Amino acid sequence: MPRLPAREVVGAIANGFTEFATPLREEPADGPIGWPGYREARSAAEARTGEQESVVCGTAKIGDVEAVLIAFEFGFLGGSLGQRTGDRIEAAFAHARDARLPVVSLVATGGSRMQQGMRALMQLQRVARASALTRSVGIPQLAVLRDPTTGGGWATLGAGADVVLALPEAQVGFAGSRVRPPGSPEAYTAEAHFAWGQVDAVVEPDALGVTLERWLRLLTARSSAAAPPPSALRAASLPSTGWEAVQAARSPERARAAEYLDAYFDWREDISGDRVGGADPGVACGFGWRDGRTIAYAAQCGTPTLPSGFRTAARLVRLASRLGIPVLTLVDTPGAANDAAAEQAGAGGAIAELFEAVATASVPVTTLVIGEGGSGGALAFAAAGSTWVTPDAYFSVTSPEAAAAILKRPASEVPDIANQLHLRPQDLVDLGVARAVVSEKQR
């Protein structure tokens, strides 16, 4: 895929770009450390690209949403970060805070500028601080990883964004192509980082503008009202026994999370992964548009939830809380994954992380139990005092089978134990676990 100039990338996704007038700082001709030939290299870069620095910063509209854009020009010394680059990025974030505008970083960089030594590397601290200050006042940040996104550009503006999109086959990694260990080139691709939960989506270039517009609409629509619980998607009678409740929740005919999300939202965009190496296909997280406002969602999809699933959900809840967006969670899991791999991946810590995110959320969290509610792995997704349940679901301290094993009772007694656990939807209401059983929406 060709590397497009910064202004061409901006022109393809945005309208009315107005560049910031950022004064160029005075510096010696050969830079702060007197690198031989640096002046000539800069002059050649300016002539080749028509730019004075490796980033172009300004405001533009992506769709109907105005945003601050930080676009890297890879043709200017490999898009490297130098002192003047830091000046421009810092000023862009300051403008975003003053104008309350979201930030979109179009990253294409080889890293810090070698000809400026530690002065260049220190720009990462400036960028990180500017980004953190902007994050602290509830302004969303999106990054688009172009080819390449390496070094400090990946470790600050890229990996540090709230939503990370990438172009297909873009090189992504902290190590640039000239300093990596030999072998495994596939590890330094956008696709690999998506699989490892470090990129939210890989987006085709011709879909980038529309995708960014959707994300900007979602992340800038604050709302103080709680998400209403979804209606039940199947007509079902309340179970007469606990074992009937368990069988109904385990039925292959029962509606699953994807069906609930599709019925609930007009449209939605997913985030993916925990940002530390894992992605759980059994947990769907993202932001959706419903009746003119944004609602965030974290939904279990019926499988044992992996540590990465809990961390992704916690990431979603924290982000929604910071941006002032209410959250909907859907509970449906036989329980947290409890094999050796899950323990090694930090299952306990991941569950604790989600419990804390939900408990400390500054936005309303609404929960609907749509299937199996298996023990603490399910409860971590649930909001205390704001949980509803469908007629074909159950919630239990553990599964009836596990309870039998713990209590050293034979498998033949599992149905009786299910009754004794008071796990039916109506039992959950009586116990104060759920506020009500939701009904099917009248058509």
Side-chain angles (χ1 to χ4, degrees), residues 14-372:
N15 296 300
F17 180 69
T18 302
E19 188 175 358
F20 299 139
T22 307
L24 292 175
R25 71 164 64 204
E26 293 293 330
E27 62 179 26
D30 282 332
I33 62 173
W35 189 278
Y38 178 51
R39 173 176 49 185
E40 289 78 10
R42 277 194 62 95
S43 297
E46 291 173 5
R48 182 170 55 251
T49 64
E51 305 293 350
Q52 292 183 299
E53 250 308 329
S54 59
V55 289
V56 177
C57 302
T59 58
K61 279 195 171 183
I62 300 178
D64 293 328
V65 185
E66 188 174 6
V68 169
L69 271 58
I70 299 172
F72 279 73
E73 176 53 70
F74 188 78
F76 192 102
L77 301 178
S80 57
L81 283 86
Q83 290 185 116
R84 291 175 176 175
T85 320
D87 293 342
R88 291 190 171 197
I89 294 174
E90 191 174 57
F93 275 111
H95 183 87
R97 294 194 297 275
D98 291 341
R100 304 293 302 180
L101 294 177
V103 179
V104 177
S105 298
L106 305 167
V107 188
T109 174
S112 298
R113 191 167 299 171
M114 296 300 99
Q115 299 94 327
Q116 290 190 356
M118 278 300 298
R119 285 283 185 87
L121 192 64
M122 289 173 64
Q123 302 312 304
L124 304 185
Q125 295 171 323
R126 295 179 69 192
V127 171
R129 183 176 186 276
S131 174
L133 288 173
T134 306
R135 183 176 296 108
S136 71
V137 295
I139 293 174
Q141 299 176 41
L142 295 89
V144 177
L145 312 183
R146 297 153 59 210
D147 183 40
T149 297
T150 60
W154 166 231
T156 52
L157 293 175
D162 299 319
V163 174
V164 181
L165 308 177
L167 297 182
E169 300 178 4
Q171 295 181 65
V172 178
F174 188 63
S177 60
R178 298 179 183 178
V179 295
R180 297 169 188 159
S184 302
E186 68 281 357
Y188 301 92
T189 63
E191 288 76 8
H193 284 77
F194 171 72
W196 297 333
Q198 298 168 24
V199 166
D200 291 302
V202 178
V203 182
E204 293 293 334
D206 57 2
L208 183 58
V210 172
T211 302
L212 284 171
E213 178 186 4
R214 286 163 65 98
W215 269 115
L216 288 169
R217 284 183 63 190
L218 289 168
L219 299 184
T220 56
R222 302 177 71 91
S223 175
S224 59
S231 301
L233 293 184
R234 297 285 191 277
S237 302
L238 288 174
S240 58
T241 68
W243 188 237
E244 283 183 21
V246 173
Q247 290 177 309
R250 293 175 178 174
S251 169
E253 303 302 317
R254 173 181 58 79
R256 305 286 166 158
E259 193 173 346
Y260 273 96
L261 294 174
D262 287 344
Y264 191 78
F265 291 112
D266 302 326
W267 51 272
R268 57 190 173 91
E269 293 286 344
D270 287 345
I271 66 170
S272 179
D274 61 6
R275 295 290 180 84
V276 292
D280 183 356
V283 173
C285 293
F287 294 80
W289 192 258
R290 174 185 168 87
D291 296 337
R293 69 183 183 124
T294 303
I295 295 172
Y297 56 88
Q300 293 173 308
C301 299
T303 56
T305 302
L306 304 176
S308 57
F310 292 109
R311 292 192 181 99
T312 304
R315 172 190 157 208
L316 180 282
V317 173
R318 288 193 297 264
L319 176 57
S321 188
R322 180 166 62 77
L323 299 180
I325 296 171
V327 177
L328 169 70
T329 63
L330 301 180
V331 170
D332 183 13
T333 182
N338 58 6
D339 56 8
E343 291 299 329
Q344 184 177 2
I351 296 169
E353 190 176 336
L354 180 55
F355 268 122
E356 180 179 3
V358 172
T360 60
S362 59
V363 294
V365 180
T366 302
T367 299
L368 179 65
V369 185
I370 64 170
E372 293 194 79

